[in-house]
Amino acid sequence: MSDGNAATPGERPPRDELLTVVIPHYNQRDFLPRAVASVLHSENCDPEIIIVDDGSTDGSEPVLAALEAASPRIKIIRHEVNQGVAAALNTGLAAARGRYVTFPGADDLVLPNLYGPLLAALGNHPQAGLACSQLAIVGSDGAIRGVRPITPPSFRTEYLDPKTICRRIKKTDHWISGTTGIFRTDLLRAAGGFDVTLGVFCDVIVGRIVAFQNGFVYVPGIRAIFRVAATTLSGATLLDREKNTRQLAVAHDRLANSIVGQTAPDYPDRFVRRLRFSAARLQLVWHGKNADPAVIAAVAGGNDSDVRALTAIRQTTGFGKAGRILAMGWLALRLWPFSPLHLAVHLLRNRIVLDRNRDDVTGWMHRMDEAGKAMTAAARANDKPADIAGR
């Protein structure tokens, strides 16, 4: 007899999923196995994993096939041609069966203590639209670069309702990342999912919309690893002056015409100033002594006075460490993304947090590198030990 829910041949039987992990993938075959391995090694969590291959052209297919064979929890959805990150995220969201859904990048890693505490926090706060945490930033060389968010909204696990968000976002921001953010699936769908016109900012904007509608839970502690490089989508967008300016204009309009703009009318302008500050900082970080003062001023939305000031800094001290500090100090005064004193306090605290967690983060990256290699090798050999599959 059938209960009406039996799977057809070749399909997985349905089950009551708690969490779906959607991993958008485009030409990241060298990093994807370790990202998947880190999800499989999560503590107190048995998630559904959906990898959306967005028309990769780097020969990823053998890796994708090996990952799909490695665990019954893994499903691959393939786009025949590249459609962009927002389309890939929407494909995964549409297929997600979990009550909650999250979207780490194919070159990111989650630490084993991410999903359990955040799911528990959402269970304790059923009104919250999402939960998020801190992460470590790692460069393309594997070196740890910092902690995000730079200015967290709280130093303890806390539910922030929309009114509290409106107050705190004046001093602190950029709390919600795709790597650590766990959404209630129905609320994310109700918010419209990911806007394809927003490009790299698609998750940034919808996260704020869901938070302003329902509030969110912040859980402190480094619980994920986010890779940055000039070749990644976020890095390429922030480093490209024209693309960055265009996408910020669209993001501003989307925020201004949403519940965010309705409840915090001054925030869309503040958001753009803060992102311009981040783009200018990235110019200094990636280009170092060769950074162009005119380009830095342009991405920051500055004027001729900013070009002259930055040129003077480059000519007198150069854009080494001291020069970068002076340049960012100038831009902080001009753009005022956050209170300089508030920012300095958080930067000091983040350094302490990072030093305390550095060995754990570095060790986890090495361990997941090996786990990813072992998982794909075992699957290719049709030998899938339970410990490799993370069960």
Side-chain angles (χ1 to χ4, degrees):
M1 296 182 65
S2 170
D3 61 2
N5 291 318
T8 58
E11 291 184 345
R12 295 179 302 168
R15 68 178 186 179
D16 182 20
E17 299 284 359
L18 178 64
L19 175 67
T20 296
V21 179
V22 174
I23 304 177
H25 169 255
Y26 178 66
N27 291 349
Q28 295 286 357
R29 67 176 184 182
D30 293 335
F31 297 100
L32 181 62
R34 71 174 193 172
V36 174
S38 72
V39 175
L40 289 171
H41 283 76
S42 298
E43 297 173 353
N44 304 316
C45 189
D46 182 26
E48 171 188 44
I49 302 172
I50 298 175
I51 302 170
V52 182
D53 179 62
D54 191 28
S56 292
T57 58
D58 64 344
S60 298
E61 186 54 40
V63 173
L64 293 169
L67 291 174
E68 194 167 30
S71 171
R73 286 188 264 160
I74 299 174
K75 176 183 180 181
I76 311 292
I77 300 177
R78 294 167 174 83
H79 287 173
E80 292 299 320
V81 297
N82 180 254
Q83 299 179 34
V85 64
L89 294 172
N90 283 328
T91 294
L93 176 61
R97 297 183 300 183
R99 190 185 320 161
Y100 306 102
V101 62
T102 184
F103 304 87
D107 56 346
D108 298 338
L109 295 167
V110 300
L111 295 175
N113 63 344
L114 173 64
Y115 297 138
L118 268 66
L119 290 171
L122 285 168
N124 292 332
H125 299 279
Q127 71 275 46
L130 64 102
C132 60
S133 190
Q134 290 175 290
L135 50 77
I137 300 291
V138 175
S140 56
D141 58 356
I144 302 175
R145 301 287 183 89
V147 177
R148 296 294 183 277
I150 294 177
T151 58
S154 179
F155 295 132
R156 59 184 176 84
T157 297
E158 182 180 358
Y159 167 69
L160 289 83
D161 61 30
K163 289 184 179 179
T164 303
I165 293 172
C166 286
R167 292 195 304 270
R168 295 196 188 175
I169 210 164
K170 295 178 180 179
K171 293 184 177 180
T172 168
D173 202 348
H174 307 316
W175 311 315
I176 304 163
S177 72
T179 307
T180 70
I182 299 179
F183 292 83
R184 294 190 192 276
T185 307
D186 59 341
L187 295 181
L188 181 56
R189 287 171 175 160
F194 300 92
D195 188 337
V196 297
T197 67
L198 288 169
V200 71
F201 298 129
C202 65
D203 59 336
V204 172
I205 300 304
V206 76
R208 283 164 171 77
I209 291 172
V210 172
F212 269 81
Q213 286 176 330
N214 307 279
F216 76 101
V217 185
Y218 180 76
V219 182
I222 295 178
R223 302 174 189 275
I225 302 168
F226 180 81
R227 176 177 170 267
V228 294
T231 55
T232 62
L233 180 61
S234 57
T237 300
L238 289 176
L239 287 170
D240 186 310
R241 176 175 55 182
E242 293 183 2
K243 185 181 294 185
N244 180 58
T245 301
R246 184 170 61 252
Q247 292 282 216
L248 274 179
V250 177
H252 178 279
D253 289 346
R254 182 74 174 90
L255 284 173
N257 292 293
S258 71
I259 189 172
V260 179
Q262 295 168 15
T263 55
D266 62 335
Y267 178 67
D269 289 339
R270 194 188 303 270
F271 169 83
V272 170
R273 288 205 314 274
R274 288 169 175 172
L275 263 293
R276 284 176 174 165
F277 180 79
S278 295
R281 180 188 61 81
L282 202 60
Q283 289 283 336
L284 286 162
V285 169
W286 286 111
H287 296 302
K289 64 181 181 181
N290 297 316
D292 186 336
V295 174
I296 297 170
V299 298
N303 53 32
D304 291 342
S305 296
D306 297 301
V307 176
R308 288 193 293 271
L310 293 168
T311 299
I313 293 171
R314 181 178 180 181
Q315 291 174 344
T316 55
T317 65
F319 282 148
K321 183 176 182 180
R324 291 196 297 271
I325 292 174
L326 286 173
M328 294 312 299
W330 171 265
L331 292 171
L333 290 172
R334 294 281 288 140
L335 296 171
W336 205 264
F338 306 101
S339 161
L341 178 60
H342 186 73
L343 183 60
V345 170
H346 279 286
L347 287 173
L348 178 60
R349 187 179 186 280
N350 289 343
R351 173 55 57 182
I352 295 172
V353 171
L354 186 57
D355 289 343
R356 190 179 300 158
N357 291 273
R358 187 178 300 275
D359 290 344
D360 290 340
V361 170
T362 301
W364 187 249
M365 284 193 293
H366 291 320
R367 182 179 170 189
M368 290 303 101
D369 281 338
E370 296 304 315
K373 293 174 184 177
M375 182 171 59
T376 53
R380 284 169 174 166
N382 198 28
D383 177 15
K384 302 183 284 295
D387 60 330
I388 291 177
R391 296 194 288 168

